[in-house]
Amino acid sequence: MRKTTCAILSICLTLCTSWVWAGDCAELVVTGHPSYPPVSWKDGDHIKGASAKMMEMIGRDLGLEVTVKSSGSWAAAQEAVRKGEVDMIFGIYYDDTRAEYMHYVEPSYIQDPVVLAVPKGKSFPFAQWADLKDRKGVTNQGESYGTEFDAYMAKHLNVIRGDGVEACFRMLLRGEGDYLIIGLYPGMAEIARLDLDDAVEILPTQLNAFKMFTAFSKKSPCYDKYHAAMSERIKTLVENGTVQTLLILSQAEWDRALCK
């Protein structure tokens, strides 16, 4: 009888301890894209940029310690969220697969134009997705461009993946693709960083424009406690122009870093 009672107490203690841990959130660990300036970029073990500034600002408002860390590649950042190794990710588009392991926070905070980069002098008419069917494309590993375009790309287009934005530009210039799918912000920043103004141009018609969100890992203990307050803060920062200001400041910071 005593052994049974002890066993029951042990189980109860374990469950109670687990419940207390699950509801705890002493620190919010956030990750993001390592090469998407001015939205976010890797600096050592950390991520800088407008998104990091926004999350740190929200953390101060909520009295919550925020650590913004690099997970390596963009694909690795998403995997860290899936495994619950970090609490949140920022600068992420919505798609159904990601929503299986992330809680997206409404509203979005940045409207991100996505464009096609091509080698200089090799532009082609582009007005709709079907114009890409007979051409080869390149894009970064781990990137998603929304459920609709991802499905169209998988079914109708020939697109290969590179390991990082710089690698994708190198693949494009080696002739491994006719076009590179990339966000306008990091595309222009990378062209400037790699001094490719005379080698690459952007087609005038956007592929699309996508909303960028923050999202909690479904394994994070911080979601229940902070998602509502975070949603309200993001809404305020978007509406009062703070996010746009952070983008401008971060672009200037990135430009200064290039000049060093």
Side-chain angles (χ1 to χ4, degrees):
M1 182 66 180
R2 177 178 292 179
K3 288 183 178 180
T4 302
T5 301
C6 290
I8 293 172
L9 288 173
S10 177
I11 292 171
C12 289
L13 181 60
T14 300
L15 290 173
C16 289
T17 301
S18 299
W19 179 86
V20 170
W21 178 86
D24 186 34
C25 182
E27 177 189 18
L28 189 73
V29 181
V30 189
T31 194
H33 204 300
S35 52
Y36 218 93
V39 177
S40 62
W41 69 87
K42 183 178 183 293
D43 182 49
D45 294 331
H46 300 283
I47 297 285
K48 287 186 173 181
S51 296
K53 293 179 192 296
M54 182 186 75
M55 293 304 302
E56 290 163 353
M57 184 179 293
I58 291 173
R60 288 193 297 270
D61 290 345
L62 300 180
L64 175 64
E65 182 179 350
V66 173
T67 299
V68 184
K69 61 175 287 187
S70 171
S71 296
S73 69
W74 182 226
Q78 294 168 68
E79 183 66 7
V81 176
R82 189 185 68 80
K83 291 180 176 179
E85 295 171 351
V86 297
D87 297 294
M88 291 192 75
I89 191 168
F90 50 56
I92 193 152
Y93 301 158
Y94 177 88
D95 75 33
D96 293 337
T97 300
R98 290 169 174 171
E100 293 176 2
Y101 60 89
M102 297 181 191
H103 289 296
Y104 281 83
V105 179
E106 295 280 358
S108 65
Y109 67 103
I110 292 175
Q111 188 79 4
D112 187 38
V114 174
V115 297
L116 301 176
V118 299
K120 185 80 81 172
K122 294 186 178 181
S123 62
F124 54 85
F126 171 70
Q128 57 186 344
W129 296 348
D131 294 333
L132 303 175
K133 280 188 174 181
D134 296 325
R135 301 180 185 275
K136 295 184 296 181
V138 178
T139 196
N140 187 26
Q141 187 71 34
E143 302 287 2
S144 168
Y145 301 104
T147 302
E148 186 179 1
F149 182 77
D150 285 353
Y152 185 89
M153 180 168 61
K155 185 175 182 179
H156 298 291
L157 303 183
N158 178 15
V159 178
I160 59 176
R161 300 275 182 170
D163 186 17
V165 176
E166 180 175 346
C168 289
F169 272 104
R170 299 301 183 196
M171 293 165 69
L172 177 71
L173 295 174
R174 287 197 301 265
E176 295 177 37
D178 301 306
Y179 62 90
L180 165 62
I181 305 172
I182 192 165
L184 177 62
Y185 295 133
M188 295 302 294
E190 199 70 3
I191 288 170
R193 187 181 74 84
L194 298 174
D195 195 22
L196 297 178
D197 290 293
D198 295 329
V200 175
E201 59 185 291
I202 303 293
L203 296 187
T205 302
Q206 294 179 8
L207 178 76
N208 214 328
F210 297 95
K211 295 177 178 179
M212 279 187 165
F213 293 89
T214 58
F216 282 90
S217 167
K218 288 190 174 180
K219 295 184 177 181
S220 171
C222 299
Y223 172 73
D224 288 339
K225 187 173 182 180
Y226 287 108
H227 78 279
M230 192 161 293
S231 175
E232 286 299 316
R233 287 301 299 147
I234 290 174
K235 181 180 179 182
T236 298
L237 295 175
V238 170
E239 290 179 349
N240 67 17
T242 299
V243 173
Q244 189 61 38
T245 299
L246 294 177
L247 279 170
I248 294 169
L249 293 173
S250 296
Q251 182 64 61
E253 182 181 358
W254 172 257
D255 291 343
R256 287 195 301 272
L258 290 182
C259 294
K260 289 181 179 179

